[in-house]
Amino acid sequence: MDNSGELNVLEDLKNKLDSELDTAQRYQMLRLMKHHLGSQYYEIMDEQWMPRDLLECLENNMPTSQVLTILSHVFGEMQLHNTTSYKPFTDYISKYFMAKGCFNRVDMIGRTKELADVERELEKRRGVCVYGQGGLGKTTLINEVCTRWTYMKKSVKKVNLKETNSMRTMLALIFKQFNESFIEDEGDDVNLETVAVCLIEACKDDAGNTMLFLDNVENVYDNERQPFQSTMSSLLRNNNKIKWIMTSRLPLENIEGDLRHYQLGPMPPKDAEKLLEMSCKPKSLPEVYKMAVLDKCGNVPLAIKTVAVALVNDLSTDNDIKLSVSELEHRVRLLLHGTFECIGYAFNKLSTSLQHSLRMLSVVGTIPIDLECIETILNLSPEPLNRLMSELVLRQFLQPEAPAVGDLLFDRKCVRYSLHPLIVQFFNKWLHKNTFKPELMMNANKRFCMYIQCKIKKLIGQFDKNYTQSVTAVQENSELFHKFLEIVPLLDIKDSKHYEEEGAREALGQVADCVKMSPNDRSRFYEKFSKSFLAVNDYSSYCYWRLEAMKAFLIAKDLSEASRVLDDIETKLQLLSNHEMQKNITVNILFQKSRLLRLKDIPINETKVIEILDKSLEMSKQLEIQDPNMAVLISNIENLKGNVCFDVHKYDEAYFHHRKAVHILRQYIKDKDHPYITVYEFNIGTVILQKAETLLQDELFIPEEIKTYYLEALDIFNKAIERDRNMGRHYRPQFEAKLSYRAKALERLSRYKDALDDRNEAIHLVKNHFDVHTVLTDAYFMKAQTLHKWILKIQLDEENRKQQKAYMNTLRDVHGLVLDGAPLSEHHKSKFLDMYRSFAKKMPVTEKSKVEDFCNRYEIGRPFESDSESDSSESDMNYEASSEELSVDSGTEEQMDTNHEMLHNSFESSHGMTPANSSRKRSRHDSDSGSDDSITVDPRYVQNFK
């Protein structure tokens, strides 16, 4: 409800309508309401409803004032179709609006400030011109101003000039508002003097209570600019009893008189989201579709409402749209056709040089770009550039962005600009297809890449010396770098100079590593980019970028692709004539090969992997004499040795290698921070955690001396995770592994809520990088295990039921992902099936049989029947189970514990660490952990970890 006043109005109306309308009138009211509200309300409006039921439904889906507005229109239409008077009802609503002073319709969401601004200007001035790009809501805004003016018993005359570009027609339409007998077709000649005299005569007894609203004046203004300027100047000067208000897509220049220009821009993001939600009522778009719609609509009200009205018709009763995000985006583009016509009109009114500039800038899309970047793309000097930007901003093609803050390594700080999102869509849909010359786009691409390459030069050698500062610089320009990585593989390699300067290739590799990209997008970029070097026989650069592609495949767990790329690199390596370069690449090949073998071979062949790592280490130390930067790779090799030792339960040796890795890297970076430091130190924490696990005898009771190790591991995890967040590395998929480890330590310390927060963050992170993937299924399964442990500890019935429901939903999430083709890691599979079958015992018989059928098929590897299985995953499983029942059926905490599944991991670095959720690695841990006899631990060494 809006406020108590509205509450009284609406409640009174409910009572009046219920008691005073007969059956036929109620039916007519319902039918007209459906017509006003649209098809999205048909499903929820019952033909047998009383008026009170109808109004309460609407009250739950829109602002009260909007309900009253619709009701007022409905009564007006009912009045036309029968003799019954509904005036008492409409008067009642009108009195409310007169007291409130406005309709406050859904259209006005996000325009409160603009509405107040225009009203304030009208009080002080003779006239106001509201201008801005088509679809921003200029007419809607002024209609609300006129409505308020009418409620104050003042007169409003509206002239719509959308269909004319003639001054004579405009004057005739104005004249007709004050002289109803005027018939334009009879040849009456209307000129400025006639209209001026008419206005003076009509308003001679008017104490400034008349408003003349000229809507869409830009056609007349643009077609007859000088006559329009002189005519409006004269009318503003000579008719001081009339308020003039106009809308235009262009500012009206050189108008003499008391006219204030007011520019209307796109809605604020939060208001745009609210408008979308209100426009979709009574249904709601899923979050992923909501974001896609807002991204394409660019916070333009007309675009949002156009799309929303069409999309809600596609929503089923459970708000489910059967479209992929890409299909949805395509649909949105089609729905925005009307808005594009507005933009097309505005674009065609630009001069040829302005059109040319906009086409050139379309290469960067909606990304914020500073003046230096625009200057490079358009090849302009500063003074004409500033004039150009000012004109494009005035015409709503460009949007000024916030100033660049803290540019750090990039020295220019100035206002940034971006193309309006709908302008970008317009270019993509029409100009690129029809009038956009390919060479124009290629030139713009080349100049844009030249600009980015200048930025990358400033990063050469900086990442290992001052990582945090370098990453901050990349992230502040992240969208630009992301666009660069899209464009650069498309260029002729001869046009790109990034590989010529020593160290530039490595700097670009680090930039690619820091920019937010999914593993699949990253691997595709490396694939395309490396092929461009092969075309010019640059085998050194080819091998470098193929190694980067291999790392991306290892992150994505695509071991077969990683193996294929490795074979290709080893073949091309023989073609290198530069012996030193060949040795450099060989060292990296050996390191990546060790990573691959560690993940691929089950059980791990420790001797073979360590032998390759030792060879890589020996070569690296030789190269370090000439290149001190090799210290980073040497520390990585030591860290990977620690991971291999951990895999075979040699925890003391693992601890030694991780500490050595920290020491080597700290000596190199001095007092600076570096992401690999957090990796190595975090790995020390995992060793301490696993040591504590081996010392633990009773799952239900943790002695204080063992709890100390869990606390120490947790402290290390917290510090490393905090440093990762400070360095901006928490968005990377490998960060999920660190969250999983910390969740394990938190569970042991009975901090289940904190552990669950980490599990949820891990799921969110994986979702951002993988669509349907085993990594995501594993993340949901580990969340289910945390919930299960928490349920065993809960004493309060209400809290127990809450977590039971979350547990059920998480098991169903795993179920759904498996059906979608993302099976669990093998070592998780049997535990999940045990948990799911146990929980199914509390389900109704039908649901229980569906779950059992799913489990049987999954267990023996039979294909799923999509129809029946999808029904199972989507069905509403309503049941309750007590924590006591669960603990009996699902096993003890010891049985459900995942300590050996919590793999020790190197976490990805640019030199190739493995993510903690490697399914193969977890399987290896599981197979080796059959009994504690296989692990020999001396508690004295654990004490020494401190």
Side-chain angles (χ1 to χ4, degrees):
M1 299 301 297
D2 294 354
N3 56 44
S4 58
E6 292 172 12
L7 176 65
N8 294 333
V9 170
L10 200 56
E11 285 302 314
D12 285 351
L13 272 174
K14 291 174 189 175
N15 296 329
K16 285 176 181 292
L17 294 173
D18 274 358
S19 61
E20 297 182 26
L21 294 185
D22 60 27
T23 303
Q25 290 169 335
R26 287 199 297 267
Y27 179 75
Q28 186 183 21
M29 176 182 166
L30 186 67
R31 302 299 295 176
L32 287 171
M33 275 287 194
K34 283 187 174 183
H35 173 73
H36 271 276
L37 295 167
S39 60
Q40 64 266 34
Y41 278 82
Y42 287 5
E43 298 171 6
I44 66 170
M45 293 174 71
D46 194 317
E47 296 286 348
Q48 306 303 316
W49 272 359
M50 295 291 286
R52 171 177 291 276
D53 302 321
L54 172 61
L55 295 183
E56 285 178 351
C57 169
L58 299 183
E59 194 179 354
N60 291 329
N61 287 290
M62 61 183 67
T64 304
S65 50
Q66 189 187 357
V67 179
L68 294 172
T69 302
I70 294 170
L71 202 54
S72 180
H73 290 311
V74 167
F75 288 144
E77 291 182 44
M78 290 172 71
Q79 182 82 37
L80 295 174
H81 294 286
N82 58 50
T83 57
T84 306
S85 174
Y86 299 97
K87 195 169 185 302
F89 300 134
T90 53
D91 284 350
Y92 195 70
I93 296 172
S94 294
K95 286 177 183 176
Y96 157 72
F97 283 125
M98 286 176 68
K100 189 173 175 65
C102 70
F103 270 110
N104 196 22
R105 297 162 301 184
V106 68
D107 313 64
M108 299 313 301
I109 289 173
R111 295 302 192 195
T112 306
K113 177 184 179 299
E114 290 85 346
L115 192 58
D117 288 346
V118 172
E119 287 190 308
R120 188 166 51 251
E121 291 298 334
L122 270 176
E123 289 175 5
K124 297 186 296 184
R125 299 176 183 275
R126 190 75 52 79
V128 176
C129 173
V130 177
Y131 71 97
Q133 184 180 302
L136 291 173
K138 300 181 295 295
T139 301
T140 299
L141 179 69
I142 302 310
N143 278 337
E144 179 66 19
V145 173
C146 293
T147 300
R148 295 183 176 203
W149 192 270
T150 304
Y151 281 145
M152 293 185 286
K153 303 297 183 184
K154 297 183 180 182
S155 171
V156 174
K157 309 288 186 180
K158 181 175 179 180
V159 178
N160 189 349
L161 301 172
K162 190 171 185 177
E163 303 300 326
T164 184
N165 61 1
S166 160
M167 271 296 301
R168 181 188 179 281
T169 304
M170 185 188 88
L171 290 171
L173 290 172
I174 293 174
F175 185 78
K176 190 172 183 179
Q177 289 293 319
F178 297 91
N179 187 348
E180 294 181 1
S181 63
F182 171 72
I183 301 175
E184 185 182 358
D185 293 340
E186 292 183 356
D188 292 342
D189 187 22
V190 177
N191 55 30
L192 173 60
E193 289 74 19
T194 306
V195 171
V197 170
C198 172
L199 294 179
I200 292 170
E201 184 65 26
C203 301
K204 65 181 179 182
D205 298 324
D206 193 331
N209 290 331
T210 298
M211 178 187 292
L212 188 55
F213 174 19
L214 304 182
D215 198 16
N216 301 298
V217 301
E218 67 276 349
N219 290 343
V220 180
Y221 169 73
D222 210 35
N223 188 52
E224 299 185 51
R225 188 162 296 200
Q226 191 170 358
F228 182 92
Q229 290 166 342
S230 60
T231 298
M232 287 310 305
S233 297
S234 176
L235 289 173
L236 282 164
R237 281 195 306 267
N238 298 327
N239 293 275
N240 57 11
K241 291 187 177 181
I242 292 181
K243 292 285 187 180
W244 295 80
I245 192 161
M246 292 171 267
T247 64
S248 171
R249 293 197 182 107
L250 300 173
L252 308 179
E253 299 172 349
N254 300 322
I255 305 290
E256 296 176 8
D258 194 16
L259 180 70
R260 170 77 162 88
H261 281 79
Y262 188 87
Q263 183 179 6
L264 192 65
M267 301 176 75
K270 287 186 178 179
D271 291 321
E273 185 175 351
K274 184 178 179 183
L275 177 61
L276 177 61
E277 289 172 354
M278 295 303 301
S279 302
C280 289
K281 289 289 187 178
K283 299 177 180 178
S284 61
L285 287 177
E287 193 67 24
V288 63
Y289 297 121
K290 190 190 298 180
M291 292 303 103
V293 169
L294 291 172
D295 180 56
K296 294 299 176 187
C297 290
N299 298 347
V300 174
L302 176 62
I304 292 170
K305 288 184 281 187
T306 301
V307 171
V309 170
L311 286 182
V312 290
N313 293 324
D314 293 337
L315 284 169
S316 64
T317 52
D318 58 353
N319 292 331
D320 185 24
I321 296 183
K322 304 301 183 184
L323 292 174
S324 67
V325 174
S326 59
E327 289 171 333
L328 182 89
E329 290 177 344
H330 177 68
R331 177 80 189 281
V332 170
R333 284 195 290 270
L334 294 178
L335 292 171
L336 292 177
H337 180 82
T339 308
F340 287 140
E341 286 182 347
C342 296
I343 296 168
Y345 163 82
F347 180 81
N348 291 330
K349 293 294 181 183
L350 295 179
S351 66
T352 304
S353 61
L354 277 178
Q355 289 181 358
H356 177 87
S357 298
L358 272 175
R359 291 186 186 124
M360 292 284 280
L361 290 180
S362 69
V363 65
V364 294
T366 58
I367 296 167
I369 42 178
D370 62 27
L371 282 174
E372 187 180 3
C373 180
I374 300 167
E375 190 178 320
T376 305
I377 294 172
L378 299 180
N379 198 22
L380 286 174
S381 56
E383 189 175 340
L385 175 67
N386 287 326
R387 288 200 302 271
L388 170 71
M389 302 314 289
S390 175
E391 189 163 358
L392 289 175
V393 168
L394 275 177
R395 292 171 181 267
Q396 289 290 313
F397 287 110
L398 282 172
Q399 299 176 138
E401 301 284 343
V405 178
D407 233 357
L408 293 176
L409 297 174
F410 302 153
D411 43 32
R412 185 152 181 182
K413 299 178 184 179
C414 58
V415 175
R416 296 183 296 177
Y417 297 89
S418 65
L419 282 179
H420 192 286
L422 290 181
I423 297 291
V424 175
Q425 294 300 320
F426 172 73
F427 279 122
N428 289 337
K429 192 169 179 63
W430 275 280
L431 294 182
H432 287 186
K433 183 171 65 177
N434 298 327
T435 61
F436 203 17
K437 296 179 181 178
E439 60 268 25
L440 191 66
M441 172 65 102
M442 186 58 69
N443 287 336
N445 278 330
K446 288 177 186 176
R447 289 176 185 168
F448 173 70
C449 289
M450 282 168 49
Y451 166 78
I452 298 297
Q453 286 160 27
C454 291
K455 300 292 189 187
I456 290 173
K457 283 182 182 178
K458 298 176 183 178
L459 297 172
I460 293 174
Q462 291 294 315
F463 279 93
D464 288 329
K465 297 282 179 62
N466 197 336
Y467 183 86
T468 303
Q469 190 182 39
S470 301
V471 169
T472 301
V474 172
Q475 289 176 348
E476 286 182 350
N477 296 270
S478 179
E479 291 179 293
L480 284 173
F481 283 127
H482 199 289
K483 188 71 176 180
F484 172 75
L485 296 177
E486 288 178 14
I487 292 175
V488 75
L490 306 176
L491 299 179
D492 187 331
I493 204 65
K494 296 171 186 175
D495 297 321
S496 186
K497 308 298 181 186
H498 53 267
Y499 61 96
E500 291 184 353
E501 187 174 342
E502 186 177 353
R505 183 175 64 189
E506 285 72 19
L508 178 56
Q510 291 279 17
V511 167
D513 189 54
C514 293
V515 170
K516 295 181 181 179
M517 297 172 71
S518 72
N520 289 334
D521 287 343
R522 198 181 300 281
S523 58
R524 279 194 292 270
F525 160 69
Y526 293 137
E527 286 275 313
K528 289 180 184 177
F529 200 37
S530 57
K531 286 178 182 176
S532 61
F533 290 103
L534 190 61
V536 293
N537 297 325
D538 184 351
Y539 297 115
S540 170
S541 295
Y542 175 78
C543 289
Y544 176 86
W545 291 108
R546 291 295 275 167
L547 275 168
E548 295 296 315
M550 180 181 172
K551 295 173 195 176
F553 285 127
L554 287 173
I555 294 172
K557 310 292 189 308
D558 195 338
L559 303 185
S560 60
E561 276 299 301
S563 299
R564 179 184 66 81
V565 172
L566 179 64
D567 293 340
D568 179 42
I569 297 170
E570 289 180 326
T571 302
K572 297 296 188 294
L573 185 65
Q574 307 307 314
L575 302 175
L576 262 177
S577 56
N578 187 317
H579 181 65
E580 285 301 311
M581 188 66 72
Q582 193 177 57
K583 281 179 66 176
N584 227 309
I585 294 173
T586 300
V587 169
N588 282 282
I589 288 175
L590 291 171
F591 179 76
Q592 298 301 333
K593 189 173 186 178
S594 303
R595 288 185 62 208
L596 178 61
L597 291 174
R598 177 176 172 245
L599 294 172
K600 197 174 181 183
D601 293 344
I602 300 177
I604 185 173
N605 187 334
E606 178 196 4
T607 305
K608 183 177 180 181
V609 176
I610 292 294
E611 182 182 324
I612 296 172
L613 285 172
D614 283 339
K615 184 177 180 181
S616 176
L617 184 61
E618 182 182 350
M619 292 179 67
S620 299
K621 287 181 177 178
Q622 292 173 6
L623 292 169
E624 188 183 21
I625 299 171
Q626 301 297 325
D627 182 8
N629 294 330
M630 290 302 293
V632 179
L633 180 57
I634 291 171
S635 69
N636 246 324
I637 293 170
E638 289 291 349
N639 183 67
L640 186 52
K641 278 188 172 184
N643 293 341
V644 173
C645 292
F646 185 95
D647 293 342
V648 295
H649 308 287
K650 296 180 178 178
Y651 301 121
D652 299 321
E653 291 183 38
Y655 179 82
F656 168 78
H657 286 296
H658 291 318
R659 288 301 296 263
K660 190 172 181 181
V662 171
H663 176 72
I664 292 169
L665 189 53
R666 282 209 181 280
Q667 276 195 320
Y668 173 70
I669 64 172
K670 306 302 181 190
D671 59 341
K672 300 292 192 303
D673 212 346
H674 196 284
Y676 304 165
I677 289 289
T678 68
V679 171
Y680 306 159
E681 290 183 344
F682 197 97
N683 280 343
I684 291 172
T686 61
V687 174
I688 295 172
L689 179 69
Q690 192 59 35
K691 280 279 201 173
E693 294 288 282
T694 61
L695 292 170
L696 193 60
Q697 301 297 317
D698 183 356
E699 299 286 337
L700 302 177
F701 174 73
I702 301 178
E704 284 300 317
E705 61 270 22
I706 296 179
K707 183 182 279 190
T708 303
Y709 306 140
Y710 287 117
L711 288 169
E712 183 177 359
L714 180 61
D715 183 57
I716 292 173
F717 295 160
N718 286 340
K719 289 176 180 176
I721 285 174
E722 183 181 1
R723 285 204 298 271
D724 270 346
R725 293 191 195 279
N726 292 338
M727 287 188 286
R729 292 178 64 83
H730 56 289
Y731 63 85
R732 298 160 57 84
Q734 301 87 335
F735 191 68
E736 178 268 341
K738 294 185 177 181
L739 294 169
S740 295
Y741 264 110
R742 186 167 71 174
K744 172 65 181 177
L746 289 166
E747 287 170 13
R748 286 297 190 207
L749 296 168
S750 298
R751 292 170 55 180
Y752 295 105
K753 186 179 184 303
D754 292 337
L756 196 58
D757 288 343
D758 277 355
R759 296 295 190 202
N760 285 327
E761 185 180 352
I763 288 170
H764 178 73
L765 184 65
V766 174
K767 276 184 176 179
N768 286 341
H769 290 278
F770 302 98
D771 292 328
V772 176
H773 199 285
T774 291
V775 180
L776 182 57
T777 315
D778 284 346
Y780 271 109
F781 173 71
M782 287 190 283
K783 176 183 174 180
Q785 288 190 311
T786 299
L787 284 164
H788 176 263
K789 293 177 183 180
W790 194 2
I791 289 168
L792 295 175
K793 300 283 187 180
I794 291 173
Q795 301 299 320
L796 298 174
D797 288 344
E798 185 178 346
E799 184 64 26
N800 187 282
R801 282 194 294 272
K802 179 181 175 183
Q803 301 311 327
Q804 291 269 7
K805 184 176 180 181
Y807 179 56
M808 172 196 74
N809 290 335
T810 308
L811 290 174
R812 290 174 62 193
D813 286 330
V814 176
H815 179 153
L817 283 163
V818 171
L819 290 178
D820 288 340
L824 282 159
S825 300
E826 279 302 313
H827 67 291
H828 283 330
K829 182 176 175 180
S830 62
K831 289 184 176 64
F832 165 70
L833 292 173
D834 288 344
M835 292 164 66
Y836 207 17
R837 282 170 171 150
S838 296
F839 207 77
K841 292 176 183 178
K842 309 298 175 292
M843 297 179 183
V845 175
T846 305
E847 302 303 338
K848 179 181 176 182
S849 63
K850 288 180 179 179
V851 171
E852 189 60 39
D853 179 61
F854 163 80
C855 291
N856 291 338
R857 287 175 180 274
Y858 187 29
E859 190 169 40
I860 62 177
R862 284 180 62 192
F864 298 107
E865 296 175 1
S866 57
D867 290 339
S868 63
E869 288 300 331
S870 61
D871 289 344
S872 169
S873 67
E874 294 172 3
S875 60
D876 187 14
M877 303 179 185
N878 293 318
Y879 56 90
E880 291 186 5
S882 68
S883 58
E884 183 179 357
E885 288 173 324
L886 251 180
S887 63
V888 171
D889 290 328
S890 299
T892 66
E893 183 177 359
E894 180 177 4
Q895 289 171 318
M896 295 309 304
D897 188 27
T898 58
N899 54 351
H900 295 302
E901 298 150 40
M902 296 299 298
L903 59 147
H904 177 69
N905 199 291
S906 55
F907 314 105
E908 182 65 18
S909 75
S910 67
H911 294 289
M913 300 294 111
T914 307
N917 46 3
S918 163
S919 59
R920 305 301 300 256
K921 192 165 184 291
R922 284 180 182 158
S923 301
R924 183 165 63 246
H925 273 248
D926 207 53
S927 62
D928 288 346
S929 60
S931 74
D932 288 338
D933 295 336
S934 63
I935 304 173
T936 304
V937 179
D938 186 340
R940 292 172 298 174
Y941 291 120
V942 182
Q943 298 286 354
N944 289 336
F945 288 167
K946 297 183 181 180

